[in-house]
Amino acid sequence: MQSNKFAVNNINQEMPKATNKSKMMDNMIGSINKIQNILNNAGIANSIELPQIVMLGTQSAGKSSVLESIVHRPFLPRGSGVVTRCPLVLQLVECKMTNKQYRKQSNGTTEIEEWGEFSHLEGQIFSNFDLIRKEIEDQTDKLAGNNKGICKQPISLKIYSPHVVNLTLVDLPGITKVPVGDQPQNIEYQITELVMEYIKNEKSIILSVSAANNDIATSESLKYSKQVDKNGDRTLAILTKVDAMVEGTDAREMLSGKLIPVKLGIIGVINRSQKDIEQNKTIDEQINDEKAFFEQHYKDMAKKQGIPFLANRLSELLISHIHKFLPEVKKEIATKLRLSKEALDECGEEIEDRDDVISLIITETAVAFSTILEGKEWSKIKDVEPLVGGPKLRRIFDDTFGTALAGIELDFNKQDIMKNISNSGSFRPAVFVSNNHFEDLVYKQIEHLREPSIKCVDQINKEMENVIHKLITEQQKLTRFPVMQKKIRTILKNFLNKRVPIAKEMVNELINTELSSINTNHPNFSIEDALKETSSNNYQQPPYKIRKTEKDAKTIQNLVENYFPIVRTTIQDQVPKIICHKIIKFMMKNIQSELLKQLRNETDADLLEESEENALKREKYKKDVKAYQEAEKEIEDFELGY
């Protein structure tokens, strides 16, 4: 019990000083209520975690009766199974008959004592609480369907009355384990997911409702609250049906805090029974009977039990909670506003000048194309896989193409050369071996360089197609206009397809050039070294009479092995340059003019037809920005007034 007293005293110490506490509470809770309504109406109720009181309990714990007692009016749907299928945000506003702030001649509220308003029915007044119940039922069916399913979209109801305290709380669907009737089979999962979403918010005060005539150790609501609030720092427990306990027992141990580890207090209440309802016993009558019961059976703690004490306690807790978290809420709203504005900017403004928009898209497309190829967007990222654009092209040139060339093996040996020399000789014995043997072998090896060189062009072509795909699919302005996006994709692919054959032709010409002549004067080609290597070997005189042949074959082999790497280095150097010149650099330089040429005279009326997705996004973000701006202004107005 000491921990509970400490919590109460601590809260009172944290309460801000004000000359008019009631007015301050009204303004502070009212501001949060307005923000809650603003976000709810915009469909983003859960985007900001607001300080709130969340009420949970099993279907039979008496949640509805507690709420109706706090309001002093029966207004909630009743029945078997899950009746509350959407969160109900209940905002109570104390409104005396003399209150001119809320009572207006225009809507007839000056003459009625109490009324309700739904946020989804702006401006409509409900003075009949039976109609409030009917509207809750109808809106529940609209949001959650008729199959007893659960919906996360809240219903927001504001009740103005001289009989209530300023208070806002969220009533959640009753916890259930077994589906009844036409309830979905996964009803427990649906409710658990919804409950946890609300109570895990650290800005939420958990109002855990349990029946006193059941074993408190098995209370489902306390079990749920303990999962997210292990120490009970933000949990207040309500014990209903205190008068229904087995004869000879009482709730004294539970109400004293010895059995329930919560720090915001344990409050006992007595609600109308089903028999009371059937006999038309009023809530005010029940509250009087409740007071008498506690004074008779729990005299020493009666002042801190019952519905009136509960309502005031909740109001004090809420005002303290709001005061604690208001700066954080303000910061959250500012962040959400900034992000929504950025998202709205990405959606683009509605089109005013068609030509300007087309020109801008062409320019941005060309810039983005060059950026991807230059690898600028990856400059700050390490170990990126898979690579794309410039880094991938460099890997193809350096690793893939280089490795392919390095892997080419010379497909001849000394015996082949000797056979070739022997078969090419005439009936006259030759003094010297012909250069033709050397040239034939060199040309044959150079021809092996053609296939990997052409394959390199194909690999670059494939990666350029990936670049075009990335460019087309990730550029926001292009995804906004599907028709233009498709046309630009076609233009770029056709542009690429025209450049690839040109590059291949030049690569083939490079190979053919190397095949046209052998440069034995190349600085890296040394005939002397090849001959010296041959001379250094110890050759035995062959047992046949064809002159010095094995030694000539070795000389030719050395010459080919010495000359081929020179050509391979040239090919490895020149092929990437050809590809860069004829494909990559050429497209980077001319893509903007190519797009302008083909799109300048485009008369397709659908060219700038916006995608439905983007149009919907823009409207959503417009709505979000407006809501967050209104919420931000509401806090600023409160702070100025406070």
Side-chain angles (χ1 to χ4, degrees):
M1 190 64 184
Q2 289 180 348
S3 61
N4 290 337
K5 284 182 177 178
F6 175 78
V8 174
N9 291 336
N10 189 44
I11 287 170
N12 288 335
Q13 290 171 4
E14 291 181 353
M15 288 287 288
K17 296 179 180 180
T19 56
N20 191 329
K21 180 179 176 181
S22 176
K23 183 179 180 181
M24 179 198 67
M25 291 174 64
D26 181 54
N27 291 342
M28 187 173 283
I29 296 178
S31 290
I32 291 296
N33 286 350
K34 288 177 183 178
I35 293 172
Q36 204 162 37
N37 289 340
I38 289 167
L39 300 180
N40 186 30
N41 291 338
I44 49 176
N46 296 325
S47 65
I48 300 289
E49 293 184 339
L50 296 173
Q52 57 189 1
I53 298 176
V54 179
M55 190 176 194
L56 73 154
T58 59
Q59 293 180 28
S60 58
K63 287 192 305 99
S64 296
S65 295
V66 171
L67 284 180
E68 290 183 335
S69 295
I70 290 175
V71 177
H72 290 259
R73 283 278 197 165
F75 67 99
L76 294 172
R78 292 182 176 271
S80 60
V82 180
V83 178
T84 302
R85 296 188 290 123
C86 300
L88 175 65
V89 180
L90 180 62
Q91 302 173 353
L92 304 182
V93 181
E94 184 180 12
C95 183
K96 305 295 185 183
M97 291 298 294
T98 55
N99 188 304
K100 295 181 179 180
Q101 180 181 358
Y102 302 116
R103 296 181 179 275
K104 308 293 181 184
Q105 190 72 39
S106 57
N107 59 18
T109 54
T110 56
E111 305 299 327
I112 56 178
E113 186 179 37
E114 49 195 349
W115 73 94
E117 297 177 8
F118 290 94
S119 63
H120 64 274
L121 296 174
E122 188 175 355
Q124 191 168 340
I125 301 299
F126 288 80
S127 58
N128 186 324
F129 279 71
D130 290 335
L131 294 180
I132 290 178
R133 179 189 297 112
K134 179 66 167 55
E135 182 57 34
I136 294 175
E137 292 173 346
D138 292 345
Q139 185 66 5
T140 297
D141 289 341
K142 180 180 178 181
L143 295 176
N146 298 314
N147 63 345
K148 301 298 182 183
I150 300 298
C151 177
K152 295 182 179 181
Q153 179 68 27
I155 299 173
S156 183
L157 169 63
K158 183 176 289 188
I159 292 178
Y160 297 85
S161 170
H163 308 298
V164 299
V165 295
N166 292 302
L167 177 63
T168 301
L169 51 81
V170 182
D171 182 30
L172 299 177
I175 301 168
T176 185
K177 291 290 184 182
V178 181
V180 178
D182 60 351
Q183 291 178 358
Q185 291 300 306
N186 67 340
I187 188 70
E188 179 186 1
Y189 170 79
Q190 289 188 35
I191 293 176
T192 298
E193 186 180 38
L194 177 60
V195 166
M196 293 303 292
E197 184 175 319
Y198 274 85
I199 65 174
K200 70 182 180 182
N201 172 14
E202 294 187 356
K203 299 186 187 72
S204 292
I205 294 173
I206 302 172
L207 192 57
S208 176
V209 182
S210 305
N213 59 347
N214 291 333
D215 184 1
I216 198 67
T218 63
S219 169
E220 287 294 322
S221 64
L222 286 173
K223 184 180 77 173
Y224 275 78
S225 63
K226 192 172 183 180
Q227 290 181 38
V228 296
D229 183 30
K230 297 184 186 296
N231 298 322
D233 295 318
R234 54 188 179 90
T235 300
L236 185 148
I238 297 179
L239 289 181
T240 61
K241 307 180 183 180
V242 177
D243 58 333
M245 297 187 69
V246 177
E247 189 174 350
T249 64
D250 62 29
R252 189 171 294 277
E253 272 197 325
M254 290 185 282
L255 293 174
S256 66
K258 295 179 180 179
L259 299 180
I260 306 175
V262 296
K263 296 181 180 179
L264 296 185
I266 302 104
I267 300 174
V269 299
I270 300 174
N271 300 318
R272 294 186 304 164
S273 65
Q274 186 59 37
K275 182 179 179 181
D276 292 332
I277 295 173
E278 291 171 357
Q279 294 179 351
N280 295 322
K281 185 177 183 180
T282 67
I283 292 176
D284 288 339
E285 290 173 340
Q286 178 58 37
I287 289 176
N288 288 332
D289 290 346
E290 176 191 61
K291 180 181 179 182
F293 175 86
F294 280 114
E295 287 180 347
Q296 179 180 353
H297 297 281
Y298 300 86
K299 188 173 183 179
D300 56 327
M301 54 177 66
K303 291 183 179 180
K304 294 187 178 181
Q305 311 300 325
I307 292 296
F309 178 79
L310 171 64
N312 283 292
R313 176 75 173 124
L314 291 177
S315 186
E316 289 178 359
L317 284 174
L318 182 58
I319 188 66
S320 175
H321 217 55
I322 293 172
H323 185 260
K324 176 182 178 181
F325 287 107
L326 198 61
E328 190 174 327
V329 171
K330 184 179 180 181
K331 186 176 179 181
E332 268 189 72
I333 290 173
T335 300
K336 291 288 186 179
L337 176 58
R338 176 178 56 80
L339 294 175
S340 296
K341 283 182 176 179
E342 290 174 359
L344 180 60
D345 289 341
E346 288 184 3
C347 292
E349 296 292 335
E350 295 185 17
I351 300 169
E352 294 182 359
D353 190 310
R354 182 178 183 275
D355 292 339
D356 283 351
V357 172
I358 294 175
S359 296
L360 179 61
I361 290 176
I362 289 174
T363 301
E364 291 188 356
T365 300
V367 171
F369 184 75
S370 295
T371 299
I372 296 173
L373 293 177
E374 293 287 359
K376 292 178 181 176
E377 63 179 70
W378 303 106
S379 60
K380 297 181 181 179
I381 305 175
K382 297 181 180 179
D383 301 325
V384 178
E385 287 291 347
L387 295 178
V388 68
K392 181 64 175 292
L393 297 176
R394 177 49 52 195
R395 177 170 288 185
I396 293 172
F397 288 143
D398 293 348
D399 297 345
T400 309
F401 181 51
T403 301
L405 293 185
I408 295 176
E409 296 182 359
L410 300 179
D411 58 347
F412 69 92
N413 54 43
K414 186 170 64 177
Q415 284 71 31
D416 293 334
I417 301 173
M418 291 172 62
K419 187 182 296 184
N420 183 276
I421 294 173
S422 298
N423 290 336
S424 64
S426 74
F427 65 92
R428 299 186 185 90
V431 179
F432 301 103
V433 178
S434 171
N435 285 341
N436 292 338
H437 300 301
F438 168 65
E439 291 179 353
D440 288 345
L441 284 172
V442 168
Y443 290 152
K444 183 180 179 182
Q445 306 315 311
I446 291 174
E447 186 61 42
H448 292 328
L449 298 172
R450 190 185 302 273
E451 182 182 353
S453 298
I454 296 299
K455 188 175 181 181
C456 181
V457 179
D458 291 331
Q459 290 171 325
I460 295 297
N461 176 42
K462 184 177 180 181
E463 181 54 31
M464 291 293 285
E465 289 179 343
N466 291 336
V467 169
I468 292 173
H469 175 76
K470 176 180 175 64
L471 177 72
I472 296 298
T473 56
E474 295 185 10
Q475 191 181 354
Q476 183 67 29
K477 282 189 171 63
L478 274 182
T479 56
R480 180 184 175 188
F481 305 112
V483 176
M484 190 172 186
Q485 181 186 36
K486 184 178 180 181
K487 286 187 180 294
I488 290 181
R489 182 197 299 271
T490 301
I491 292 170
L492 295 183
K493 291 190 73 173
N494 289 342
F495 195 22
L496 175 63
N497 291 338
K498 290 178 183 177
R499 303 309 304 171
V500 170
I502 296 173
K504 284 185 176 180
E505 182 181 358
M506 194 167 179
V507 168
N508 277 318
E509 281 299 305
L510 175 65
I511 303 294
N512 293 339
T513 301
E514 293 293 338
L515 291 172
S516 67
S517 175
I518 296 176
N519 180 15
T520 55
N521 290 322
H522 194 283
N524 293 334
F525 180 63
S526 175
I527 298 177
E528 290 79 8
D529 289 344
L531 294 174
K532 184 178 179 181
E533 183 179 347
T534 303
S535 301
S536 66
N537 292 320
N538 295 322
Y539 288 95
Q540 296 181 357
Q541 181 66 30
Y544 40 82
K545 295 183 179 179
I546 297 177
R547 196 165 177 177
K548 284 175 76 61
T549 305
E550 184 175 357
K551 189 172 183 179
D552 292 337
K554 182 60 179 175
T555 299
I556 292 173
Q557 181 179 349
N558 289 342
L559 290 171
V560 173
E561 289 176 347
N562 189 274
Y563 187 78
F564 178 73
I566 296 173
V567 180
R568 181 170 56 192
T569 300
T570 300
I571 298 301
Q572 186 171 354
D573 175 65
Q574 291 298 311
V575 167
K577 290 180 178 178
I578 290 171
I579 295 173
C580 286
H581 175 56
K582 293 297 182 181
I583 298 178
I584 301 172
K585 287 287 188 177
F586 187 91
M587 291 188 70
M588 289 171 65
K589 182 179 179 181
N590 296 286
I591 183 175
Q592 186 166 355
S593 59
E594 184 71 12
L595 290 172
L596 280 171
K597 182 175 70 176
Q598 298 203 40
L599 292 175
R600 182 180 296 161
N601 298 322
E602 180 63 57
T603 57
D604 191 342
D606 296 331
L607 191 63
L608 292 182
E609 182 179 350
E610 191 173 31
S611 68
E612 182 179 357
E613 180 185 7
N614 193 78
L616 291 174
K617 277 185 178 179
R618 184 170 58 246
E619 291 308 310
K620 177 196 180 303
Y621 290 127
K622 275 186 178 179
K623 194 174 181 181
D624 291 355
V625 167
K626 182 181 178 183
Y628 291 129
Q629 285 175 334
E630 290 178 356
E632 191 172 59
K633 187 177 185 304
E634 182 57 44
I635 291 183
E636 290 173 355
D637 289 347
F638 167 75
E639 289 176 336
L640 287 172
Y642 177 68

